[in-house]
Amino acid sequence: MSEKALAYLKENRRNLLEKLNDFLSIPSVSTDSAHKKDVEAAADFIVTYLKEINFENVEKQETGGHPLVYAEYNGAGPDAPTVLFYGHYDVQPVDPIELWKSDPFKPEVRDGRIYARGSSDDKGQVFMHLAVFEALMKTEGKLPLNVKVCIEGEEEIGSENLYEILHDKKEQFQADFAVISDSGMVAKNQPTILYGLKGFTGIEITVTGPDHDLHSGMYGGAVRNPIMALNHILASMKNVEEVITVDGFYDDVEPLAENERKLIEQVDGEDYSEPAGIKETASEKGYTAKEHTMARPTFEINGIYGGYQGEGTKTIIPSSATAKITCRLVPGQDPVKIQQLLEEHVNKVAPSGVTVEVKKEKLSAKAYKVEPNHPLIEKAARSYTKAFGKETVYVRMGGSIPVVEWIEAIYDMPIVLLGFGTPDDRLHSPNESFPLDSFDKGMETLVYYWNEVDNS
Amino acid sequence: MSEKALAYLKENRRNLLEKLNDFLSIPSVSTDSAHKKDVEAAADFIVTYLKEINFENVEKQETGGHPLVYAEYNGAGPDAPTVLFYGHYDVQPVDPIELWKSDPFKPEVRDGRIYARGSSDDKGQVFMHLAVFEALMKTEGKLPLNVKVCIEGEEEIGSENLYEILHDKKEQFQADFAVISDSGMVAKNQPTILYGLKGFTGIEITVTGPDHDLHSGMYGGAVRNPIMALNHILASMKNVEEVITVDGFYDDVEPLAENERKLIEQVDGEDYSEPAGIKETASEKGYTAKEHTMARPTFEINGIYGGYQGEGTKTIIPSSATAKITCRLVPGQDPVKIQQLLEEHVNKVAPSGVTVEVKKEKLSAKAYKVEPNHPLIEKAARSYTKAFGKETVYVRMGGSIPVVEWIEAIYDMPIVLLGFGTPDDRLHSPNESFPLDSFDKGMETLVYYWNEVDNS
């Protein structure tokens, strides 16, 4: 039942890759208002594609921000299951641009990988789904199940309008299960079922001392330096054993069970040093790197700045300093409560002579876990294995996908995280890429999966 | 003997202020190679001025960097003393430009102050000296003492060519004493003799973790965050009681003697809070703000940066983080030794999983002290008092002027620091300004002083 579609994908591979290039060439950077029209153009690309393959009710929904693309396929009939396919067509910013070897929006294939911003996260994977729908429609004239398409343009900036839409339009988006391809395999060509995601919360701390930069000769010794004050605050929040030392932070953490520790141990191919370019890993005392990335919370400073950053020296006591912090959470932790604990801690330890402001990041998400032996999960694992020729591993991921938590909260349906990315893809970094192997074998996986699902 | 010159200054005040404006309008930013021609133009301005008032051997000396302006006046004869007048015509960079209320190179007078970059540090004060020379030459036809002029263009970037010039051309620059106006009074219109300066040394610390920015979901929990590592390093170097906790840092510090504590206590008008815009001061445990700024060493982080600094969030573990540090030293401390101690400490405390690089700032200077009761110092104090109508106070300053240390080392002559700046001048910051009172009364002080000095 899959052969014709697979043959179609093979025969039309070049055309499909060219079409993917067109999609990747649109600089749909959601965080940058200068690219608003490009984001719109990426939405239009998907709308056009879905119409070409005869999906119904294809629409670009206004959200208040970037548009959401919706479409339906009902041709499988009322007895067939309906899948909610979610993805996003927006991408991360590209800075620092000087570190890219090729233009992030002029896709290039090098060493079996497609290099472009969004090739892995998430346009490459979204496109794979649309191409598979195309292959099935063109060869069979129908799909083996019904589909509701939900492809948004704000994932990289927090999907801030999505929850409301999913909530208010529950009937429109209702389905039997959801599939998302916005994650990765533990290694190239290693089928991976993601059965857990971390939650997410963030704050921004700004320490202000003098109301303007001061001459460090005139005022050094009289004025608390805001950068040093910020250092003391941050150093008090996580120690060198990688234990988060904010009061109450670990109170609600679901402990790492012994059987999960074994599962994690069995996950091969989790090498951090090489892809990261580091000599040794560093993890929470008492946990391995794998255990910490998969099942323990994190506290990460994403950026820090204050004072003079240019060439040479500038002898000032700067007016202020800022740090941006995000935390990845595990089951049990409440993101809003964590923000409060962080804020309380900062206010408690802030030294005299400066004022401290804590801004709470609006985006947040609880951690997510699903049972690895759910039938839909098992079918996904089998489809993967058929396409990639390897046993599937089951992992929990260090990252977060807020839409997963929302779908679970609103729809209470199983969510299958079927990702085809790899550790070397360099998500959120310069020189993002996506393997052609993932592109080809991933689409093969999807062809098998849609055909399996209708036989449940 | 001073009346004619004083009258000249009054009558020509408007012209002199216009001429000062021309000088201040030249963006002689030494640290910025884009302004190389402007720096040259500022040197030319001085050359022209000195020639106009009949100084001899006026020359723009090549230094390998920005030129040094040299000139002589020998008309007082071999029995009169010779003063070496040092100043600088280069200025600090202006960033952040958006905080300036007027163009830093279009001088404006507001509320009795001249607003422009360099109005206080140091072009306003250099100009005052030239105007006084002009007044004396135009009214008396001669100066009461001989003069050697040394006005350089690299003070703000470390005067890196000056030492060699002063050393190699010792005969040319030889004098009986030196006068420098590149410092300030403890308060507006409060005559201040600066009898001590702090030394200076600096380093830059860069912590590198992964070889590229990482996705914090994929790698959080496996990789040491370079920003956090830098925080821990910095927090270990100075504690919240403002005590520098680098091993050996205080070993050679000349203790603050009881009589000096009394002198310092008597210095009125040292208010840090208001000009700095802070609610409370912070100083080394056991010392007041005045004592620390004047007589104890400092450790100051001038800038810090790493990771994402833009709008919103970016969930990365950044590749690296950097901090720029400068220390002000007191008598006894050796700047090179201090750099070594800093570097040793950083290497000792650096956590695993990252590499740390310490760059040593080339510019450094030992602290300087002169006896407050030296005759030349006492005459300066009297001249000040005559012009400003207030008793002179004696202070040690928190800042450094490397040329002072070099002059002392090479020439072993008394150095009189005769500054007219004020705490509100906002040196090294946006909206730098210089009071017209300082301009007028400062020139008056100089007229008295030159006439006093020849009577020693």
Side-chain angles (χ1 to χ4, degrees):
Chain A
M1 208 164 43
S2 305
E3 292 71 28
K4 287 199 237 171
L6 292 175
Y8 180 95
L9 289 171
K10 272 203 178 62
E11 279 151 32
N12 291 278
R13 189 174 184 268
R14 171 173 293 199
N15 291 342
L16 289 170
L17 283 170
E18 271 173 31
K19 190 163 180 164
L20 170 59
N21 272 7
D22 292 342
F23 189 32
L24 293 173
S25 299
I26 306 169
S28 49
V29 181
S30 45
T31 196
D32 188 348
S33 47
H35 283 292
K36 195 162 155 53
K37 289 209 159 80
D38 299 315
V39 174
E40 188 97 23
D44 289 335
F45 178 98
I46 299 174
V47 163
T48 303
Y49 200 166
L50 288 163
K51 284 182 174 167
E52 277 167 9
I53 56 177
N54 292 333
F55 270 61
E56 298 170 314
N57 299 330
V58 184
E59 53 180 5
K60 219 169 49 174
Q61 293 185 358
E62 285 311 308
T63 65
H66 297 301
L68 181 146
V69 177
Y70 175 81
E72 296 171 15
Y73 172 81
N74 298 305
D79 296 331
T82 302
V83 65
L84 171 63
F85 164 53
Y86 164 89
H88 66 91
Y89 64 84
D90 64 313
V91 298
Q92 276 276 324
V94 299
D95 70 280
I97 182 67
E98 62 274 12
L99 295 183
W100 284 77
K101 295 196 182 86
S102 52
D103 186 320
F105 297 110
K106 287 198 170 86
E108 265 186 34
V109 173
R110 303 197 294 277
D111 305 318
R113 288 180 158 270
I114 305 166
Y115 282 83
R117 171 59 91 228
S119 58
S120 177
D121 171 28
D122 183 36
K123 284 155 92 175
Q125 303 201 48
V126 162
F127 185 91
M128 284 163 59
H129 277 264
L130 301 180
V132 164
F133 291 148
E134 172 186 339
L136 288 163
M137 290 295 274
K138 289 268 167 81
T139 56
E140 308 284 342
K142 55 179 168 57
L143 304 179
L145 76 173
N146 300 308
V147 181
K148 293 197 178 173
V149 173
C150 171
I151 305 175
E152 64 148 334
E154 301 187 320
E155 194 272 347
E156 300 291 3
I157 53 173
S159 305
E160 64 178 6
N161 295 303
L162 182 63
Y163 181 88
E164 208 176 295
I165 291 169
L166 291 175
H167 180 270
D168 295 351
K169 299 186 181 182
K170 195 170 167 181
E171 236 189 84
Q172 188 180 36
F173 287 86
Q174 189 66 268
D176 298 303
F177 68 112
V179 164
I180 303 178
S181 299
D182 193 18
S183 53
M185 305 178 289
V186 296
K188 191 163 172 286
N189 296 330
Q190 170 54 62
T192 306
I193 287 287
L194 193 47
Y195 72 99
L197 300 170
K198 283 192 179 168
F200 178 90
T201 196
I203 61 169
E204 188 176 287
I205 305 172
T206 297
V207 180
T208 305
D211 61 13
H212 61 282
D213 295 349
L214 299 178
H215 188 282
S216 74
M218 291 177 62
Y219 290 94
V223 168
R224 181 84 70 188
N225 184 308
I227 299 177
M228 185 55 102
L230 181 59
N231 286 326
H232 280 294
I233 290 169
L234 295 171
S236 78
M237 298 177 85
K238 187 164 85 167
N239 65 25
V240 290
E241 294 180 316
E242 297 292 313
V243 175
I244 298 161
T245 46
V246 172
D247 290 338
F249 193 92
Y250 291 104
D251 283 359
D252 302 325
V253 162
E254 183 191 272
L256 182 55
E258 208 34 57
N259 65 326
E260 283 213 68
R261 280 195 119 128
K262 291 201 169 64
L263 261 182
I264 288 173
E265 211 184 330
Q266 281 157 24
V267 176
D268 227 3
E270 237 352 320
D271 175 27
Y272 301 95
S273 313
E274 230 226 71
I278 51 171
K279 293 212 174 73
E280 52 185 313
T281 59
S283 308
E284 184 185 349
K285 182 175 178 177
Y287 296 88
T288 65
K290 271 192 291 187
E291 289 168 349
H292 192 163
T293 56
M294 291 188 195
R296 296 290 293 174
T298 67
F299 173 99
E300 216 68 69
I301 308 174
N302 311 119
I304 192 168
Y305 55 92
Y308 184 62
Q309 302 187 30
E311 202 185 307
T313 56
K314 193 168 191 228
T315 49
I316 54 168
I317 298 171
S319 172
S320 72
T322 297
K324 291 170 175 287
I325 293 158
T326 48
C327 296
R328 304 282 185 174
L329 311 175
V330 297
Q333 291 184 299
D334 178 73
V336 172
K337 178 179 176 188
I338 293 295
Q339 275 179 331
Q340 279 165 354
L341 292 177
L342 295 175
E343 184 181 39
E344 280 164 20
H345 179 99
V346 169
N347 289 328
K348 188 180 81 175
V349 304
S352 65
V354 290
T355 54
V356 178
E357 183 199 3
V358 175
K359 275 203 279 196
K360 291 172 175 168
E361 172 59 38
K362 232 180 4 170
L363 166 71
S364 75
K366 288 198 171 94
Y368 168 79
K369 255 175 93 175
V370 72
E371 287 319 305
N373 56 10
H374 190 290
L376 284 165
I377 301 283
E378 292 191 329
K379 287 175 189 201
R382 281 203 298 271
S383 306
Y384 255 132
T385 296
K386 204 164 162 188
F388 284 85
K390 266 176 120 167
E391 261 328 291
T392 298
V393 299
Y394 291 75
V395 299
R396 288 163 66 178
M397 191 178 88
S400 329
I401 306 175
V403 67
V404 169
E405 180 203 353
W406 301 337
I407 290 173
E408 183 180 45
I410 299 168
Y411 297 88
D412 193 27
M413 57 165 125
I415 303 160
V416 184
L417 299 166
L418 215 62
F420 304 103
T422 73
D424 284 341
D425 288 358
R426 302 207 166 192
L427 265 49
H428 296 207
S429 281
N431 305 306
E432 175 180 353
S433 68
F434 189 60
L436 286 166
D437 270 356
S438 284
F439 183 73
D440 297 324
K441 298 191 177 109
M443 288 194 294
E444 192 179 337
T445 304
L446 292 172
V447 171
Y448 295 143
Y449 188 56
W450 298 141
N451 282 314
E452 274 241 30
V453 162
D454 82 332
N455 287 330
S456 63
Chain B
M1 212 167 37
S2 304
E3 293 72 26
K4 288 200 237 172
L6 293 176
Y8 179 95
L9 289 171
K10 272 203 176 66
E11 279 151 31
N12 291 279
R13 188 176 185 266
R14 173 173 291 198
N15 292 342
L16 289 170
L17 282 171
E18 269 173 33
K19 191 163 182 165
L20 170 60
N21 272 7
D22 292 342
F23 189 31
L24 292 175
S25 299
I26 306 168
S28 49
V29 181
S30 44
T31 197
D32 189 345
S33 46
H35 283 292
K36 195 161 155 52
K37 291 210 160 79
D38 300 315
V39 175
E40 188 98 22
D44 290 334
F45 179 98
I46 299 174
V47 164
T48 302
Y49 201 165
L50 288 162
K51 285 181 173 169
E52 278 168 7
I53 57 177
N54 292 332
F55 269 60
E56 300 170 313
N57 298 330
V58 183
E59 55 180 2
K60 220 168 48 176
Q61 293 186 358
E62 285 311 307
T63 64
H66 298 300
L68 181 146
V69 177
Y70 176 80
E72 297 171 14
Y73 173 80
N74 299 305
D79 295 330
T82 303
V83 65
L84 171 62
F85 164 53
Y86 164 89
H88 67 92
Y89 64 83
D90 64 312
V91 299
Q92 277 273 324
V94 300
D95 69 279
I97 182 68
E98 62 273 12
L99 295 183
W100 284 77
K101 297 196 180 88
S102 51
D103 188 320
F105 298 110
K106 289 198 171 82
E108 265 187 33
V109 172
R110 303 195 294 276
D111 305 318
R113 287 180 159 271
I114 305 167
Y115 283 85
R117 171 59 91 227
S119 58
S120 177
D121 173 26
D122 183 38
K123 284 153 93 175
Q125 302 201 49
V126 162
F127 185 91
M128 285 163 57
H129 277 265
L130 301 179
V132 165
F133 290 147
E134 173 186 335
L136 289 162
M137 290 296 273
K138 290 267 166 80
T139 57
E140 306 284 344
K142 56 178 167 58
L143 304 179
L145 76 173
N146 299 309
V147 182
K148 292 197 179 175
V149 173
C150 171
I151 305 176
E152 65 149 332
E154 300 187 321
E155 194 272 347
E156 299 292 3
I157 53 173
S159 306
E160 64 179 6
N161 296 302
L162 183 63
Y163 181 86
E164 208 176 293
I165 292 170
L166 291 176
H167 180 272
D168 294 351
K169 299 185 181 185
K170 195 170 165 181
E171 239 191 81
Q172 187 180 32
F173 287 86
Q174 188 68 267
D176 298 303
F177 69 112
V179 164
I180 302 177
S181 297
D182 193 17
S183 53
M185 305 179 287
V186 295
K188 193 162 171 290
N189 296 330
Q190 169 55 64
T192 307
I193 287 287
L194 192 47
Y195 73 99
L197 298 171
K198 282 191 180 169
F200 177 91
T201 197
I203 61 168
E204 189 175 287
I205 304 172
T206 296
V207 179
T208 305
D211 61 12
H212 61 283
D213 294 349
L214 299 177
H215 188 282
S216 75
M218 292 178 61
Y219 291 94
V223 168
R224 181 83 70 186
N225 184 308
I227 298 179
M228 183 55 99
L230 180 59
N231 290 328
H232 279 294
I233 290 169
L234 295 171
S236 76
M237 300 176 85
K238 187 164 86 167
N239 66 24
V240 290
E241 293 180 314
E242 297 291 314
V243 174
I244 298 159
T245 45
V246 173
D247 290 338
F249 193 92
Y250 291 104
D251 284 358
D252 302 325
V253 163
E254 182 191 275
L256 182 56
E258 206 37 55
N259 66 325
E260 281 214 69
R261 280 195 121 126
K262 290 201 170 66
L263 262 182
I264 289 172
E265 211 184 331
Q266 284 158 20
V267 176
D268 228 4
E270 234 357 315
D271 176 26
Y272 300 95
S273 313
E274 230 226 71
I278 51 171
K279 293 212 173 73
E280 49 184 314
T281 59
S283 307
E284 185 186 348
K285 182 174 176 178
Y287 297 88
T288 64
K290 271 192 293 186
E291 289 168 348
H292 192 164
T293 55
M294 292 189 194
R296 296 289 293 173
T298 66
F299 173 100
E300 216 67 67
I301 308 174
N302 311 120
I304 193 169
Y305 56 92
Y308 184 63
Q309 304 188 29
E311 205 184 309
T313 55
K314 193 169 191 226
T315 48
I316 54 168
I317 299 171
S319 171
S320 72
T322 297
K324 293 169 174 286
I325 293 157
T326 48
C327 296
R328 305 281 186 174
L329 311 176
V330 298
Q333 291 184 299
D334 178 73
V336 172
K337 180 178 175 188
I338 293 294
Q339 274 179 331
Q340 279 165 353
L341 293 178
L342 295 175
E343 184 180 41
E344 280 164 19
H345 179 98
V346 169
N347 288 329
K348 187 179 82 175
V349 304
S352 65
V354 290
T355 54
V356 178
E357 182 199 3
V358 175
K359 277 204 279 198
K360 291 172 175 167
E361 172 60 39
K362 229 177 11 167
L363 164 70
S364 74
K366 289 198 171 94
Y368 168 79
K369 253 176 93 175
V370 71
E371 288 317 305
N373 57 9
H374 190 292
L376 284 165
I377 301 284
E378 291 190 330
K379 287 173 188 202
R382 281 204 298 272
S383 305
Y384 255 130
T385 297
K386 206 162 160 190
F388 285 85
K390 266 177 119 165
E391 261 328 291
T392 298
V393 297
Y394 291 75
V395 297
R396 288 164 65 177
M397 192 178 88
S400 330
I401 307 177
V403 68
V404 170
E405 179 202 356
W406 300 338
I407 290 173
E408 183 180 47
I410 300 168
Y411 297 89
D412 193 26
M413 56 166 127
I415 303 159
V416 184
L417 298 166
L418 215 63
F420 304 103
T422 74
D424 284 342
D425 289 358
R426 300 205 166 192
L427 265 50
H428 295 207
S429 280
N431 304 305
E432 176 181 352
S433 68
F434 189 60
L436 287 167
D437 271 356
S438 284
F439 183 74
D440 298 324
K441 298 191 176 112
M443 288 194 294
E444 192 179 335
T445 304
L446 292 172
V447 171
Y448 297 141
Y449 188 56
W450 298 141
N451 281 314
E452 273 242 28
V453 162
D454 83 331
N455 287 331
S456 62

